[in-house]
Each structure stands twice: as structure tokens, then as C-alpha cells.
């Protein structure tokens, strides 16, 4: 059985106090209301990690993550943060390859492959994001785009290492736009991703790989998205900034 995960991506939002207060609300609501086995992950800006990482230790199924790390171990990289540093403050996850990092910060598949390695080396779980732009969707090239992102960014891993990875399908045209992929569109791509993983690593690894959907996921569409056979949870941007909305999405897996 693969793990169901609902992960919030706060992006560059919330000052320290706001973030800690939102996280405390989430933790309390999870304690009171979450009865399933789903994992709740919050990927905050670096500044929150130490504090919310400690709060997360008080609840079994809540974890925290970073939204990025630098690919080197340590050294003269002014302004960057390493995998071992985020691990040292209690993070368990790192989002890698988010389309905003690919588009605005020049993160190539080759850089991402290095980031994947250092992330796993420090026993952090990568949430590896893939997805096509609007043009790539409209031209019908999206299957190829997604396959290439997997091949060049993460398929260098041995099967045992790949088995530790979480994938997130995030169509770029659906991120922050209010335009969600329909459950059918999302399921079609998730099934494709699983097939590509099966061809590379075998059925067993493919069946146990958690594949999240991200892109304008909210309390009204989460249920139909997450009920698709190959969708194992969500990576939630905007709706993760409101505790009640985020919890409603988490609770889709309560049943
Ligand atoms: P969104 O963002 O839910 O605001 O569309 C998702 C993401 O970028 O991970």
C-alpha cells in the first residue's frame, strides 16, 4: 500500500509569527480531527522550520519540509541552505523541481539530479515535481515533457533509492491560476507516470510510489481528484495558507 500525503507549500508567504500560528492551528486540528493514516506535511520558508519542526514532533502524522536546498554539501555559497542544515532543524521533506524554481531560478534537470542526490544522502524525502506548461499541454507534447523530466532529473537513482521518493504532478497552467486539471486529465497523467516508473523500476516500485497532484487543489475539488486510482494526495499552495481549507483537504483521506 502506498502512503497518502497532503503537503502544503507555503511558498514565500507568512512572516515568522504568522507561520508559527498557522502551523499551531494545523497541528491542533490534526490532533482533534484527523483519524486516517495520511501524512500531513508543511513545506515552509526556511525561517520557520526549526520552530515548527519541534511542534511537529508532538503529532505522529505531521512532518515539515523545505521548499528547496542547494546541491552542494557546504561551503562558500552565500545565501544558500544545504540539505544537512534543513535536516538538522527537523525537516523530513524537500520540494525539488517546483515549476517556479525551474522557471524563475534556472533549475535544470541536471541541477535537480544533484539536488535529489544530496537530499537522499541526508535522509530527507524529495517531493519531486514534474509538469507541463500550457503550451506543452495544448500542443499535446505533455507526455514527452513529463517523461523527459523524470528521465533526466531522477531516473539516475537505483531502485532502492527511487523507492524513497515522492512524485508530484503539477501542471504549470494549473498552479495558482484557479484552473484545476480535471480529475480525468490528472488521472491520465498519473497513470502515465506510474507506467513510466514501472518500465524503469518494475511494477512493485511503481505501485508503491506516492504520486501527488498539485495545481489549484482546494476543499471543493480535492475529493474527486484524490478518489482517482493513481492520485495519492496533493501538493497544496494557496489553500494551505488557511488552516480550515487545508484540513478539509487532509480529511479527504479520513474515511
Ligand atoms: P496552488 O499551488 O495550489 O496555489 O495552485 C500549488 C503548488 O504550486 O504547489
Amino acid at each position: 500500500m502506498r502512503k497518502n500525503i497532503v503537503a502544503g507549500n507555503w511558498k514565500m508567504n507568512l512572516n515568522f509569527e504568522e507561520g508559527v500560528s498557522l502551523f499551531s492551528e494545523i497541528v491542533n486540528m490534526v490532533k482533534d480531527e484527523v483519524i486516517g493514516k495520511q501524512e500531513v506535511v508543511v513545506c515552509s520558508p526556511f525561517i520557520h522550520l526549526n520552530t515548527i519542526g519541534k511542534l511537529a514532533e508532538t503529532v505522529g502524522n505531521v512532518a515539515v519540509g523545505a521548499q528547496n536546498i542547494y546541491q552542494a554539501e557546504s561551503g562558500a555559497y552565500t545565501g544558500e541552505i544545504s540539505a544537512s542544515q534543513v535536516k538538522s532543524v527537523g525537516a523530513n521533506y524537500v520540494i525539488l523541481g517546483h515549476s517556479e524554481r525551474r522557471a524563475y531560478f534556472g533549475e535544470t534537470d541536471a541541477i535537480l539530479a544533484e539536488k535529489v542526490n544530496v537530499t537522499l544522502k541526508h535522509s530527507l524525502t524529495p517531493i519531486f515535481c514534474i509538469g507541463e506548461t500550457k503550451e506543452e499541454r495544448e500542443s499535446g507534447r505533455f507526455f514527452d515533457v513529463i517523461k523527459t523530466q523524470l528521465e533526466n532529473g531522477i531516473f539516475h537513482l537505483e531502485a532502492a533509492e527511487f523507492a524513497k521518493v515522492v512524485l508530484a504532478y503539477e501542471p504549470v497552467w494549473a498552479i495558482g491560476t484557479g484552473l484545476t486539471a480535471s480529475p480525468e486529465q490528472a488521472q491520465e497523467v498519473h497513470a502515465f507516470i506510474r507506467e513510466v516508473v514501472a518500465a524503469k523500476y518494475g511494477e512493485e516500485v511503481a505501485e508503491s510510489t506516492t504520486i501527488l497532484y498539485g495545481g489549484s487543489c482546494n476543499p471543493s475539488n480535492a475529493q474527486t481528484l484524490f478518489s482517482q486510482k493513481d492520485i495519492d494526495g496533493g501538493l497544496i499552495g494557496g489553500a494551505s495558507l488557511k488552516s480550515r481549507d487545508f484540513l478539509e483537504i487532509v480529511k479527504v483521506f479520513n474515511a
Side-chain angles (χ1 to χ4, degrees), residues 96-107:
L96 291 179
H98 191 282
S99 64
E100 287 151 18
R101 301 235 30 113
R102 291 178 189 262
Y104 309 148
F105 302 98
E107 293 201 359

Side-chain angles (χ1 to χ4, degrees), residues 5 7-9 43 95 98 127 129 168 170 212-215 217 233-237:
I5 299 175
N9 173 11
C43 296
I95 297 175
H98 191 282
I127 300 178
C129 304
E170 296 209 303
L212 310 180
Y213 168 79
C217 191
L235 182 53
I236 320 296

Side-chain angles (χ1 to χ4, degrees), residues 10 13-24 44-53 55:
W10 287 356
N13 293 298
L14 307 172
N15 66 27
F16 180 72
E17 254 172 52
E18 291 165 341
V20 172
S21 147
L22 173 60
F23 192 78
S24 307
S44 73
F46 296 121
I47 61 155
H48 301 96
L49 281 176
N50 188 29
T51 304
I52 68 172
L55 291 172

Side-chain angles (χ1 to χ4, degrees), residues 121-220:
K121 181 169 174 210
H122 291 281
S123 307
L124 293 155
T125 302
I127 300 178
F128 189 79
C129 304
I130 49 184
E132 80 284 2
T133 62
K134 186 162 176 282
E135 295 69 45
E136 290 160 346
R137 160 77 39 184
E138 284 166 357
S139 69
R141 286 192 296 125
F142 56 100
F143 289 124
D144 285 344
V145 168
I146 289 161
K147 189 162 182 240
T148 304
Q149 288 171 337
L150 287 168
E151 286 172 348
N152 296 348
I154 203 149
F155 276 6
H156 60 283
L157 295 175
E158 299 292 327
E161 290 296 288
F162 183 84
K164 299 173 186 164
V165 166
V166 170
L167 298 178
Y169 169 55
E170 296 209 303
V172 180
W173 48 272
I175 296 176
T177 57
L179 281 177
T180 321
S182 69
E184 296 73 26
Q185 281 174 321
Q187 167 56 27
E188 182 185 38
V189 175
H190 280 236
F192 172 74
I193 293 169
R194 211 177 292 288
E195 261 171 43
V196 173
V197 171
K200 169 80 182 168
Y201 293 108
E203 282 297 330
E204 205 178 308
V205 171
E207 276 309 308
S208 56
T209 302
T210 295
I211 311 177
L212 310 180
Y213 168 79
S216 299
C217 191
N218 61 43
S220 345

Side-chain angles (χ1 to χ4, degrees), residues 66-87:
Q67 299 169 18
N68 178 38
I69 43 97
Y70 192 63
Q71 60 269 33
E73 282 289 342
S74 64
Y77 302 100
T78 301
E80 294 297 320
I81 306 268
S82 72
S84 75
Q85 287 173 324
V86 302
K87 181 72 184 180

